[in-house]
Each structure stands twice: as C-alpha cells, then as structure tokens.
Amino acid sequence: MIHSIVRAISLGATVVSALFVAQSASAATVFTFTNKGTTSMVGVGSYTFASDDGSLSVKATAWHANDSNTSAITTDSISRAQLGFWSNAGLGVIYGTDNAFDGSHQIDNKGLGAGADFVMLQFNKDVTIDSLARNVYGISGIGCCDSDAAFWADTSNIFGAPSLLANINLSSASFNESIFTALPGTGSSGTTKLGTTSSASVWLVSAALNQRNDGFKIAGLSVTPTGAVPEPATWAMMILGMGAVGFAMRRRSAVKTTVSYA
C-alpha cells in the first residue's frame, strides 16, 4: 500500500512539475508596429493592434503632457492628441502644430517648457513590458537626435481591470513626474530592456519629461503576460491531492467483488 501511495504521489508531482515548467517557460509576446506593409494611418483617436502571434491585443491612444514650469514636479495638464503609425517607422503622436507629413509627428519633447508626447497602451491582460524598440527621428526645425524616454505602469489598477473597451480619459489629469521611470536612449535606433518586473494592463510611454530634442517612434514591444502563480505550498497541496486521488483509484480497482447466490 505504501508503495502505491508513493507511486501515486510521484505521478502527481511529475504532472504538476510539467505544468509549472510549461508556464514558466512561456515565451515573450512581441508586438511589431512596423509590419503594416504599405499601410500608414495618421490622425486617429485610437487603434488596436494584435501581437505577432495573435495571443494578445493592445489599444494605443496618443496624449501630450503640457509642462510650462519645468521646475515643478507635476505637469500642468494633459491634452488628447492624435495617433499615427507609419509603415517601417512605428507609432508616433500628432499634437498642436505637428504635421503628419514632416518631421514633427514622432513622440517628442520639442523644447523645455513645451511638454512631452506620450502613448497610452491598454492591454487585454496584465503584462510586463520587457523591452521597447525605438526608431529615432530628428525634430523638424531643431535637428537630430536623441531618444530619451520614460515609462509608467498602472500597477495599482487605477484605471480598472484589463479591458480594451475602457475609454480612459486623461484630459482632466496631471502627472507627478516622479512616478515615471527614465529609459535613456541614444542617437541610434534600437531595442532597450526596461529592467522592470512591474505588471499592469495600462502603460504610458513618453518622451523624457523636462528635457528637450528627444524624438522617436515606437517600433515594437516585447511583453510577458502575467497572472496568478501558485505559491510553493499550493503546489505541494496539489501534488498530495493528486497523489491521494491516484491512490484511491488504484485501491478501488484492486477491490474484488464477490457475488453470492442463494
């Protein structure tokens, strides 16, 4: 009997271990915003993209943080902007005097006191953004080029549960700039790891706040979906539970039924 229990528990452990490894080894999910063929779209309020493998979706909207007082830790206000994506370039923002057809429609901070463009990304699941791919562009009338950025994750679910249908309006908000994490860039296009384990369904990606002459388009993202992972004690209970079930089934199948005839 003891041997049967051990075998049943061992089988349960093997099954649970396989499930755990499969979950842990899940590959990152990639969104590519430069693979739209010859299609470009400018001046839209929002756009929903599917990941390259179709397993996730993200809704992107464009905004501008007005920041006339660069010594203050909060922005003046937030204004709605227009989103654009350009084939072989990526996601950009059109705000104010920006023109969709010249070098002014990237995510940028044109000068001190001019504020900064940013994109809000609403995923249909909680994710960790592992890396951000940026294509660097010079700013029209200013020159070239840098790509310093900043990001923030809604880890406290201020904007609610994951939903592509939620119409989040930031127009009445202002930001404490200290909540953003800096993501330095260079004068060259490339991919940068965020170095964060934060998990959220809503993320903001901005040109660097209180800086100037940074301009880039978001070429792509690599994200990892996150969810509730059982604690070690929970795994142990599952193993014991499966072992007990296996033993009970084995014992039941071993019982012989005797039929007596009167």
Side-chain angles (χ1 to χ4, degrees), residues 29 31 49-58 123-127 223-225:
T29 302
F31 288 86
F49 300 87
S51 60
D52 293 2
D53 64 4
S55 64
L56 287 175
S57 297
V58 62
F123 295 89
N124 60 331
K125 295 180 181 179
D126 285 340
V127 302
V223 308
T224 299

Side-chain angles (χ1 to χ4, degrees), residues 98-140:
D98 290 349
N99 188 313
F101 305 102
D102 65 14
S104 62
H105 51 253
Q106 57 277 308
I107 301 170
D108 60 40
N109 49 14
K110 292 181 181 178
L112 288 176
D117 298 330
F118 67 93
V119 172
M120 178 166 61
L121 301 168
Q122 292 175 242
F123 295 89
N124 60 331
K125 295 180 181 179
D126 285 340
V127 302
T128 294
I129 297 183
D130 303 310
S131 61
L132 175 74
R134 286 170 282 185
N135 282 331
V136 182
Y137 290 90
I139 300 173
S140 180

Side-chain angles (χ1 to χ4, degrees), residues 129-235:
I129 297 183
D130 303 310
S131 61
L132 175 74
R134 286 170 282 185
N135 282 331
V136 182
Y137 290 90
I139 300 173
S140 180
I142 296 177
C144 187
C145 14
D146 200 359
S147 59
D148 291 338
F151 67 89
W152 174 78
D154 180 23
T155 56
S156 298
N157 290 327
I158 296 172
F159 298 121
S163 174
L164 297 177
L165 300 179
N167 293 314
I168 300 173
N169 185 5
L170 302 177
S171 297
S172 59
S174 63
F175 290 147
N176 183 324
E177 296 166 11
S178 65
I179 68 174
F180 283 80
T181 300
L183 188 66
T186 65
S188 302
S189 300
T191 300
T192 308
K193 292 184 178 180
L194 270 63
T196 180
T197 57
S198 295
S199 173
S201 61
V202 177
W203 292 73
L204 307 181
V205 178
S206 170
L209 300 165
N210 289 335
Q211 293 189 34
R212 59 182 175 182
N213 302 351
D214 296 296
F216 61 90
K217 291 186 177 76
I218 301 176
L221 299 167
S222 175
V223 308
T224 299
T226 57
V229 178
E231 296 293 330
T234 305
W235 286 115

